[in-house]
Amino acid sequence: MTNQASQATKSSQATKASQPAKATTPPLWLLAELTYQCPLHCPYCSNPVNMEETFNELSTSQWKKVFREAREMGAVQLGFSGGEPLLRKDLEELVAYARELGFYTNLITSGIGMTEKRIAKLKDAGLDHIQLSFQSANAEVNDLIGNKRHSFKQKLNIAKLVKAYNYPMVLNFCITAQNIHEIEEVMALSTELKADFVELATVQYYGWAYENREHLLPTKNQLEEAEQAVNRYRDQQDGVGPKFMFVTPDYYENRPKACMNGWGTTFLTVTPDGSALPCHSAKILPLTFPNVKDSSVQNIWEHDFSFNHFRGDDWMPSLCKTCDEKDKDFGGCRCQAFLLTGDMHKTDPVCDKSPDHHLMKTITDKAGQQTSSTLKFRTVKNNIPVKTIQDLTV
Ligand code: FES
């Protein structure tokens, strides 16, 4: 099911703006997607394929209202994300305000656009933590995947600045079929850069990554070899150096992930235009989501139809409702169920009890055998030409 198809079904779903409160816990983790603008064009980006809200971003004061309301409800962690959050000139002001409210603040960045002056200003503003993404441990591959020349060199410099300014540093490497073979180099580079934590995150298939899944999904064999390499490296570390987290795609699993720790329980995402979502990908679903410009965070979290819709187990098909693992995985990912079956209420097909589980095998059997050579690079303005997979081959 494409995102275009999801739009077509959207209007067929009746939605109600306000419902009795079902939530018992506040949103602990607020993700502020400040902008969808980004200097990179990674074909695995999880941002929506259709970024029509790009030019209608919340103002500084509107973001402050969101932070204040979320904090009053008990939110404790605030991630500044995008796109590239450094493109917002008010980032330092927003970080300072969030710290004043008592949030633990985290900047999720490509590093492109960061300077020493800015990193110092962010430190003064009270920023707690920086997560820096790399596309590869190889300069040429890195620059090709992000479609930005010299970006690898800039990232190396930023990583050094992050350490020089005493931030805890998480490095994030998105692992795909294009770079999985270099996982040892990735770990060596992370050690050299003195990272504290390293996410070796095999891409999850939402947004642009879903569009390009055929090219990005590693084979089971590649994943097993990569995991063995990570384990060997960890054994040699002897407790010294970065902590590596290897995240595999759930496409090869038999049980679904507990996506978002359960819909509307822990995570709140606010998109650049102010849409409030229970997960970063939810806009693809045939639901109408509220906007923080029109309502308070508390009203949205507790009463909006879209937030209540998948809370608890009322919505579940009997397969999930009667399953003794329903409190572990909450029926899996709603976005994945919708993308793969066209029905957001179905059991996540990753689950081998699902009648749709065969879809996973159909997809994973095709890993490593691309039938098309077309690759879509993330773009807001449609100004990046469609490329072929050979463009990523060095
Ligand atoms: Fe939306 Fe899993 S990504 S529910």
Side-chain angles (χ1 to χ4, degrees):
M1 172 76 61
T2 64
N3 290 343
Q4 285 77 8
S6 81
Q7 294 300 326
T9 54
K10 211 169 243 200
S11 57
S12 68
Q13 301 286 326
T15 60
K16 270 200 284 178
S18 187
Q19 292 230 318
K22 264 194 192 176
T24 52
T25 53
L28 295 178
W29 221 107
L30 173 63
L31 185 69
E33 293 185 332
L34 296 184
T35 179
Y36 282 147
Q37 301 288 341
C38 185
L40 300 186
H41 304 280
C42 308
Y44 52 68
C45 182
S46 63
N47 280 168
V49 175
N50 181 357
M51 291 186 266
E52 76 272 11
E53 312 119 352
T54 298
F55 303 109
N56 189 20
E57 292 178 2
L58 294 184
S59 65
T60 310
S61 60
Q62 285 169 324
W63 275 117
K64 286 183 178 176
K65 170 189 167 290
V66 173
F67 300 168
R68 204 165 48 243
E69 291 175 352
R71 183 75 187 118
E72 276 166 11
M73 287 186 73
V76 290
Q77 181 143 351
L78 174 48
F80 292 92
S81 173
E84 176 47 67
L86 289 168
L87 291 174
R88 284 282 298 225
K89 293 195 170 51
D90 56 358
L91 178 63
E92 291 83 346
E93 183 179 345
L94 292 175
V95 168
Y97 188 70
R99 283 300 281 121
E100 207 180 298
L101 293 171
F103 274 109
Y104 183 85
T105 52
N106 175 24
L107 177 66
I108 301 158
T109 178
S110 68
I112 307 302
M114 184 67 97
T115 58
E116 179 155 11
K117 198 168 157 198
R118 264 198 114 176
I119 215 163
K121 273 188 172 177
L122 286 164
K123 191 80 188 176
D124 288 345
L127 180 66
D128 292 294
H129 180 279
I130 296 182
Q131 177 181 314
L132 177 64
S133 66
F134 275 81
Q135 280 63 49
S136 167
N138 171 294
E140 200 174 351
V141 178
N142 183 91
D143 295 358
L144 282 169
I145 293 177
N147 201 44
K148 176 101 180 146
R149 286 168 72 193
H150 312 304
S151 55
F152 184 75
K153 199 167 159 216
Q154 290 177 57
K155 285 166 184 281
L156 289 182
N157 290 336
I158 299 310
K160 287 171 193 157
L161 280 176
V162 170
K163 291 307 289 182
Y165 278 79
N166 285 321
Y167 288 99
M169 179 167 74
V170 173
L171 296 183
N172 173 278
F173 288 84
C174 277
I175 304 296
T176 65
Q178 285 68 46
N179 60 12
I180 195 163
H181 58 280
E182 59 176 46
I183 203 133
E184 286 175 357
E185 287 90 328
V186 164
M187 291 185 286
L189 175 66
S190 306
T191 304
E192 192 187 317
L193 293 173
K194 301 188 172 52
D196 297 289
F197 294 93
V198 183
E199 287 179 0
L200 304 166
T202 317
V203 163
Q204 306 283 319
Y205 299 97
Y206 303 97
W208 294 87
Y210 186 78
E211 297 285 313
N212 289 307
R213 184 185 62 202
E214 167 185 4
H215 296 294
L216 302 174
L217 182 67
T219 63
K220 194 166 188 5
N221 203 22
Q222 285 175 317
L223 281 163
E224 283 168 358
E225 281 176 14
E227 191 157 23
Q228 285 162 15
V230 174
N231 288 337
R232 277 197 306 276
Y233 199 91
R234 283 189 187 124
D235 288 346
Q236 289 163 16
Q237 279 186 298
D238 208 18
V240 181
K243 289 201 170 30
F244 292 99
M245 289 160 282
F246 185 59
V247 184
T248 53
D250 59 355
Y251 275 39
Y252 289 99
E253 302 293 337
N254 292 324
R255 286 290 179 273
K257 57 183 179 265
C259 199
M260 300 292 124
N261 196 36
W263 179 274
T265 65
T266 314
F267 293 93
L268 171 65
T269 296
V270 179
T271 69
D273 77 332
S275 299
L277 307 175
C279 75
H280 63 284
S281 178
K283 269 271 180 94
I284 61 164
L285 300 176
L287 286 168
T288 299
F289 289 96
N291 195 294
V292 295
K293 290 176 196 154
D294 309 321
S295 190
S296 71
V297 171
Q298 180 162 4
N299 194 38
I300 287 171
W301 183 258
E302 293 180 353
H303 299 286
D304 194 84
F305 175 85
S306 61
F307 277 77
N308 278 331
H309 195 55
F310 291 117
R311 280 188 175 128
D313 62 9
D314 288 352
W315 64 272
M316 286 182 182
S318 58
L319 177 67
C320 297
K321 213 181 245 181
T322 55
C323 177
D324 59 7
E325 294 176 69
K326 73 175 175 187
D327 295 326
K328 264 196 233 160
D329 59 37
F330 316 108
C333 175
R334 294 304 86 221
C335 297
Q336 189 147 277
F338 181 70
L339 282 166
L340 298 181
T341 73
D343 183 347
M344 64 179 175
H345 296 94
K346 281 193 161 184
T347 300
D348 187 333
V350 165
C351 182
D352 67 7
K353 298 180 189 176
S354 158
D356 298 304
H357 186 64
H358 63 277
L359 295 172
M360 307 316 299
K361 183 159 163 40
T362 311
I363 295 165
T364 53
D365 277 354
K366 287 192 195 142
Q369 325 168 1
Q370 297 93 20
T371 51
S372 112
S373 63
T374 308
L375 188 70
K376 290 184 191 161
F377 276 63
R378 175 205 196 273
T379 173
V380 172
K381 296 180 190 158
N382 290 326
N383 58 352
I384 304 293
V386 168
K387 299 199 171 191
T388 65
I389 194 65
Q390 283 74 26
D391 292 323
L392 285 186
T393 308
V394 288

